[in-house]
Amino acid sequence: MEEDKKLRLFEKSGLQLPEVIRGKGQQMGDVLKLLENMLLFDNCDEGTAILASTRPARLKELDESSRVAVLAHSIMAYLFTFSEEHLRRISSRVTSDTTLWISRLFRFNEASAFFHEDAREGVVRVCRLALLLRFPRWGHEGQDAFEGKLPVVYVSEAAQAGLGPYICQQLGLPASCLHVVACQGTPSKQMHRISLRALEQAIAEDEAADRVPAVILAHAGTPLVGHTDDLQGIQDMCKKHRIWLHVTGSSLALLTLYSVPEYVQPAETGDSMTLELSEWLGLPAVPHVTLFKASEPTLVHQVGLSSLHLPVKLTCLPLWIVLQHLGHDGLLGRIQRCIDLSNKLFHALETTKEVQILGVEKKKKLQPGEEVITHYRSARELISSAICALLVFDTALPTIVFRFSDVKLPPAREVAPYAVNAVPENHVDETDDETYLNAANLWLLDQLRHDVPQVVLELINVEPMGVFLRFAPLESANWIGTEPSDVDRCLQVLDDHLAVIRATCAQQRLFRVAIAAQTRLKPVPMPNWAGLGAVQYVPETDGLDLRKLHEEMVAQLKSDDTAFLLGQSSDGQPCILFGMVTSGFDTASLVRVVLDIGKQVEESSRQLEQLVEKLTLGIARANEDLEKEHVEQLLQEGVFRQIPVVGSLVNWWSPPPKEAQKGRTFDLDTGTIGSTELTYKTHLQVKHKSQSS
């Protein structure tokens, strides 16, 4: 009894727990089956059964290096079972080797490395280190160590959104310590590059206001368009004012394109840099790396850039294994492959006059297969090597930002003043070239994504110019396996669709003239539509449901041509959207087809509404007749038959006469109502030449 009581108390104590972890737990096979289903299907979150509605997940096929990176995490977990002394020796060896290899590969000699999961964490910690170097007492006195001279962190306006406020928040600095520096340039140059004049002026203003310039965050490839700041000019400014320079961006990958000579001349790219190796190399579970130069190990440890905690030191184990597996040639090959893809696209777009490439200057660019490895021996050549490490950012474009731009729309209201749809002189049209460009490029992106999914393109908004298409193979090519043949296919599809856009632009004037000549078609302004345009059918019959009318028109039009859609104007009215057309298309005949179908649908709708009206009236009149017959029947049978108990006795004594069931018929042709008495008698449907209604 006592044991049963304890067992019941134990079971009650676990009632507040989820059922899946109550008692002795689940069988390992069931747990693994649930995990397998969660991995293989997008919407299999509950249970282990495979439902008909589950969607298979798109799983990436891992190459050998990716499998090694994944395996490294299991090895890292197993290493924690070792003795502390053994584990310390392993972690020290792994950390020191990885740091040396990364610093040599990226020409950042005598640097330390910090490995982290969040890309922003490295920036925050080097900023904390820079502040401690300028304010040694800040670590234990806080803002009192500033003595009224607040530090300033300079961030480009082209930086990642929210980066500056995040740094200030993590460092405990007021928002006034953040100074956003303007960019300058024209669309044909590096328009997202930091303006050196604006930066110098900002530093002078802060120093005059008794503030301390502490950190400048520069880019070797801005997050949006991939433009590179003038690192040499910024670096000279930092040396002059004792400012810490941190560099980030995808163009830092280009530093590996130069061979590592016997005596490495460091690349003067700042005091620290953040490398996103997982993204560039297409390797999962590989940490970000922040390289930095610091001569005071105590401060480095104080800000968290180094750690004695063994699990933290082993974070770089996947990178240690992968780098040895790839080697210098393998790493260089992956990065060079991405650069070749961007160069292939760039050189093709450069000869296409309808395409605008953002931030392009006439410079020598790396050609596919061009030899970029150079060996330096003399002291003068070694110095030149350091200079070239900065100039390498100008030899290739890892990010291509482009758009269709060669468009001159015809006057949106090019209609004769005596035409039916003539517009008043003071009318302001809502469509302009820039608005149509945005719509055309959005349509172009959709087509390219559909036809060539292996080439990852993004739509970005570049103020104040509008939308552009962005191709950044360093961020995607090694992940999804983009090949040169995919870029060739993309270029072919791009040429085909550019021809469609050109033909559509050329046909828009004819389309508007054809619409203006029709009284039953009304043009509808649709600024964000890339096709020929939009019209609304104006029926002659009043009271028709315009939405149902246009839905039926679109359904019939799409049965012959899919280039029609149902749209909605700015005032909520339905309209028909005309899609893109090819060269030589007969726009006038298309407008006539739409008009004819509109008339047919209108006539059908009118007849249907008349039929519905007849049916409604007929049903109402039939109900009235049936009600009258029911009342007459009650009067004929008498009152006694309607009393519940007495009525049964009367019906037994004197059964009522059996009559055929009566109803009403409705003639759709004449709209008349008749009795069903003859139908029930003859069991035939008899149509009389004349029936009284």
Side-chain angles (χ1 to χ4, degrees):
M1 293 294 295
E2 187 68 22
E3 293 181 357
D4 293 342
K5 183 177 180 180
K6 290 182 179 180
L7 180 61
R8 287 195 299 272
L9 289 175
F10 179 77
E11 291 177 351
K12 289 182 179 180
S13 64
L15 292 178
Q16 75 278 8
L17 297 175
E19 184 177 357
V20 70
I21 61 173
R22 290 180 190 172
K24 298 181 180 180
Q26 305 294 320
Q27 295 291 330
M28 181 55 66
D30 295 337
V31 176
L32 294 179
K33 185 63 177 178
L34 174 60
L35 177 60
E36 179 184 355
N37 292 339
M38 291 171 62
L39 295 176
L40 295 179
F41 300 95
D42 284 338
N43 55 346
C44 185
D45 295 331
E46 298 293 337
T48 58
I50 304 299
L51 304 178
S53 59
T54 53
R55 299 186 306 271
R58 298 180 60 183
L59 303 180
K60 179 183 183 297
E61 183 177 355
L62 301 180
D63 58 13
E64 186 176 3
S65 298
S66 298
R67 291 195 295 269
V68 168
V70 174
L71 178 63
H73 281 266
S74 299
I75 298 175
M76 183 168 56
Y78 174 69
L79 289 178
F80 294 141
T81 63
F82 288 18
S83 65
E84 184 175 352
E85 182 179 355
H86 190 186
L87 184 59
R88 183 178 293 108
R89 287 198 300 268
I90 295 176
S91 62
S92 299
R93 168 72 181 275
V94 169
T95 304
S96 61
D97 286 351
T98 309
T99 300
L100 177 63
W101 299 339
I102 294 294
S103 62
R104 290 295 183 91
L105 285 170
F106 289 89
R107 306 180 60 77
F108 207 69
N109 198 25
E110 299 179 0
S112 302
F114 171 58
F115 305 95
H116 48 98
E117 301 298 330
D118 188 350
R120 300 177 299 179
E121 187 62 27
V123 181
V124 171
R125 300 206 183 189
V126 295
C127 287
R128 185 176 285 117
L129 175 61
L131 293 181
L132 277 177
L133 290 174
R134 295 300 297 268
F135 304 97
R137 293 181 293 126
W138 178 55
H140 55 275
E141 293 184 6
Q143 294 193 16
D144 293 338
F146 299 150
E147 298 179 352
K149 298 182 178 181
L150 291 177
V152 182
V153 178
Y154 299 91
V155 179
S156 167
E157 64 179 357
Q160 179 185 358
L163 178 61
Y166 175 80
I167 293 174
C168 290
Q169 180 184 11
Q170 295 298 312
L171 297 178
L173 299 176
S176 58
C177 292
L178 179 66
H179 199 139
V180 180
V181 184
C183 298
Q184 68 173 10
T186 61
S188 61
K189 296 183 179 180
Q190 301 279 330
M191 62 180 300
H192 280 213
R193 172 182 289 187
I194 286 182
S195 171
L196 293 183
R197 180 179 301 176
L199 178 59
E200 189 172 6
Q201 183 179 355
I203 293 174
E205 291 176 355
D206 290 327
E207 289 179 341
D210 209 17
R211 295 184 177 184
V212 180
V215 182
I216 296 178
L217 303 182
H219 291 94
T222 54
L224 190 64
V225 300
H227 290 175
T228 299
D229 295 326
D230 185 355
L231 297 181
Q232 186 64 59
I234 297 176
Q235 187 168 259
D236 295 340
M237 204 175 299
C238 290
K239 291 180 179 179
K240 177 181 177 181
H241 297 276
R242 295 178 55 215
I243 304 175
W244 185 283
L245 174 59
H246 181 79
V247 184
T248 185
S250 59
S251 291
L252 289 173
L254 300 179
L255 292 173
T256 61
L257 297 181
Y258 283 80
S259 65
V260 182
E262 297 177 2
Y263 301 98
V264 179
Q265 180 72 15
E268 298 292 339
T269 50
D271 300 290
S272 58
M273 64 171 68
T274 296
L275 311 173
E276 301 181 9
L277 297 179
S278 177
E279 187 176 78
W280 302 341
L281 303 179
L283 298 174
V286 171
H288 300 282
V289 182
T290 294
L291 298 177
F292 61 94
K293 297 178 180 179
S295 57
E296 300 186 28
T298 303
L299 294 181
V300 172
H301 181 71
Q302 184 177 349
V303 301
L305 286 171
S306 67
S307 176
L308 298 178
H309 191 45
L310 297 181
V312 175
K313 297 185 68 174
L314 278 175
T315 305
C316 62
L317 180 61
L319 191 55
W320 183 79
I321 297 176
V322 168
L323 286 178
Q324 293 184 83
H325 177 260
L326 287 176
H328 179 246
D329 292 343
L331 183 142
L332 177 64
R334 294 201 173 204
I335 295 178
Q336 183 67 59
R337 175 167 162 265
C338 296
I339 302 304
D340 291 343
L341 293 175
S342 64
N343 281 338
K344 177 183 270 302
L345 182 66
F346 169 76
H347 291 304
L349 297 179
E350 194 177 25
T351 59
T352 307
K353 68 174 185 177
E354 296 93 346
V355 173
Q356 174 190 7
I357 306 177
L358 187 66
V360 170
E361 297 179 89
K362 298 297 182 180
K363 300 174 181 176
K364 182 181 182 299
K365 302 174 178 65
L366 295 177
Q367 302 290 338
E370 180 181 354
E371 182 67 31
V372 296
I373 299 179
T374 308
H375 299 278
Y376 302 95
R377 295 303 180 192
S378 66
R380 178 176 298 178
E381 290 173 336
L382 288 175
I383 295 175
S384 299
S385 171
I387 297 176
C388 288
L390 290 179
L391 296 181
V392 69
F393 300 133
D394 296 329
T395 63
L397 291 174
T399 302
I400 308 296
V401 179
F402 65 97
R403 69 170 178 173
F404 168 77
S405 64
D406 186 19
V407 57
K408 293 297 180 182
L409 292 179
R413 298 289 177 176
E414 189 174 339
V415 181
Y418 50 81
V420 176
N421 290 330
V423 182
E425 294 182 359
N426 58 354
H427 173 79
V428 179
D429 197 273
E430 300 179 9
T431 305
D432 57 18
D433 288 358
E434 289 300 326
T435 304
Y436 181 77
L437 275 178
N438 293 341
N441 282 285
L442 179 59
W443 176 85
L444 182 62
L445 175 68
D446 291 339
Q447 303 305 311
L448 292 175
R449 281 179 172 176
H450 178 269
D451 296 340
V452 197
Q454 288 298 105
V455 177
V456 178
L457 296 171
E458 299 176 85
L459 190 75
I460 62 174
N461 186 25
V462 180
E463 294 293 345
M465 303 179 62
V467 299
F468 280 78
L469 278 63
R470 178 176 182 267
F471 177 58
L474 273 173
E475 300 175 5
S476 60
N478 286 320
W479 279 103
I480 66 174
T482 306
E483 298 292 340
S485 58
D486 298 322
V487 177
D488 291 334
R489 169 64 178 159
C490 179
L491 290 170
Q492 180 60 47
V493 172
L494 178 64
D495 289 339
D496 296 341
H497 291 311
L498 287 179
V500 172
I501 296 178
R502 289 193 297 268
T504 302
C505 293
Q507 292 286 339
Q508 284 183 350
R509 184 185 63 83
L510 299 176
F511 174 76
R512 288 164 182 160
V513 171
I515 295 298
Q518 305 296 334
T519 59
R520 308 280 287 277
L521 296 179
K522 173 185 174 182
V524 178
M526 295 294 288
N528 296 320
W529 179 247
L532 277 177
V535 299
Q536 184 183 77
Y537 181 79
V538 182
E540 290 182 344
T541 307
D542 296 332
L544 293 180
D545 189 336
L546 288 180
R547 179 161 294 278
K548 291 183 178 179
L549 176 67
H550 285 79
E551 287 177 354
E552 181 62 26
M553 289 179 63
V554 171
Q556 293 191 24
L557 289 169
K558 292 184 72 172
S559 63
D560 296 329
D561 192 340
T562 59
F564 293 95
L565 291 175
L566 180 67
Q568 182 173 304
S569 62
S570 57
D571 57 356
Q573 294 297 319
C575 62
I576 299 176
L577 300 176
F578 289 69
M580 313 295 285
V581 297
T582 56
S583 178
F585 190 81
D586 189 354
T587 305
S589 64
L590 179 65
V591 172
R592 289 193 296 270
V593 169
V594 173
L595 181 62
D596 293 340
I597 290 180
K599 292 179 180 179
Q600 296 173 10
V601 174
E602 179 186 0
E603 180 64 21
S604 300
S605 300
R606 185 182 60 80
Q607 294 178 0
L608 181 61
E609 288 197 0
Q610 291 177 353
L611 178 62
V612 171
E613 184 179 357
K614 286 183 179 181
L615 284 173
T616 304
L617 293 175
I619 291 173
R621 292 172 62 182
N623 287 333
E624 291 177 1
D625 292 346
L626 292 174
E627 184 66 24
K628 289 179 181 180
E629 289 183 0
H630 180 64
V631 173
E632 292 176 358
Q633 183 181 1
L634 291 178
L635 293 176
Q636 291 176 2
E637 292 177 353
V639 179
F640 289 106
R641 293 184 185 275
Q642 313 307 320
I643 301 174
V645 178
V646 178
S648 299
L649 182 61
V650 173
N651 290 333
W652 172 77
W653 182 264
S654 177
K658 295 182 179 181
E659 295 183 359
Q661 186 178 2
K662 294 182 179 181
R664 292 293 181 268
T665 61
F666 182 73
D667 193 330
L668 295 177
D669 293 334
T670 63
T672 59
I673 296 176
S675 175
T676 60
E677 183 176 1
L678 183 60
T679 302
Y680 282 111
K681 286 182 179 181
T682 62
H683 299 285
L684 295 172
Q685 289 186 353
V686 180
K687 183 176 180 180
H688 297 279
K689 294 183 179 179
S690 63
Q691 291 179 328
S692 64
S693 59

